[in-house]
Amino acid sequence: MDKITCSAFERGRCVLGTLPYGKDFVKTIEDFCVQESIQTGVFSVIGAVMSVTLGSYDQNQQVYVTYNKEEPLEIVHCTGNISLKDGRVAVHAHAVLADINGQTIGGHIFSETSIYAGEIYIQELLGKPLKREYDDTTGLSLWKL
Ligand code: ZN
């Protein structure tokens, strides 16, 4: 692949919401999307978490390396997307988080991330649902466009 592969989507609903205290970040967004029949979309979140599980993809080993932080952290920036993986709604989110001193960490957000508070903006996208499929080159589950 030597160029961008793409598809066009129509804008659906623009949704603003608050994330519930103490619930899992990824699962909460996925459950909301299932409930609202959102299969494709993009989102951003600001807020705070009580704990987080972040990871980075080890490109040599082709595995995610994760770590957990059990401390209050501010969600400085979080962006993500919604698509289908194995027929189910899958949230893909990355975030930069800051501790009480403003020191930041960042990465791919995994489950076992506990919401303190959050404000989410979701842009639903309409059209043929966006699906993920295993990619031999990277070992990742990437968009099939
Ligand atoms: Zn990621």
Side-chain angles (χ1 to χ4, degrees):
M1 185 170 62
D2 57 357
K3 60 181 176 49
I4 292 175
T5 306
C6 65
S7 275
F9 293 87
E10 297 292 325
R11 284 178 187 271
R13 293 166 288 175
C14 293
V15 178
L16 290 176
T18 56
L19 301 180
Y21 177 89
K23 298 296 184 186
D24 183 73
F25 186 89
V26 172
K27 185 171 186 335
T28 295
I29 299 171
E30 286 178 344
D31 287 351
F32 177 79
C33 290
V34 169
Q35 175 196 313
E36 291 296 321
S37 300
I38 298 172
Q39 296 187 313
T40 306
V42 291
F43 65 87
S44 63
V45 178
I46 57 172
V49 295
M50 296 182 276
S51 65
V52 67
T53 302
L54 289 176
S56 291
Y57 192 65
D58 180 329
Q59 296 175 14
N60 293 318
Q61 301 296 319
Q62 295 200 339
V63 292
Y64 276 100
V65 178
T66 65
Y67 64 95
N68 181 261
K69 278 216 175 254
E70 296 284 337
E71 66 176 279
L73 295 162
E74 201 77 5
I75 304 170
V76 177
H77 180 78
C78 172
T79 188
N81 56 61
I82 300 146
S83 56
L84 298 180
K85 181 180 173 186
D86 302 324
R88 299 182 54 203
V89 168
V91 158
H92 184 196
H94 285 194
V96 176
L97 302 131
D99 67 15
I100 200 77
N101 299 309
Q103 296 295 311
T104 56
I105 54 174
H108 178 117
I109 299 186
F110 286 86
S111 280
E112 307 301 318
T113 294
S114 185
I115 299 161
Y116 183 74
E119 298 170 347
I120 187 167
Y121 165 71
I122 302 174
Q123 172 64 65
E124 178 187 35
L125 297 170
L126 302 174
K128 188 176 165 205
L130 185 54
K131 293 180 181 171
R132 292 186 175 277
E133 284 184 10
Y134 180 78
D135 176 67
D136 285 329
T137 304
T138 63
L140 291 165
S141 182
L142 301 178
W143 287 340
K144 179 73 177 173
L145 293 159

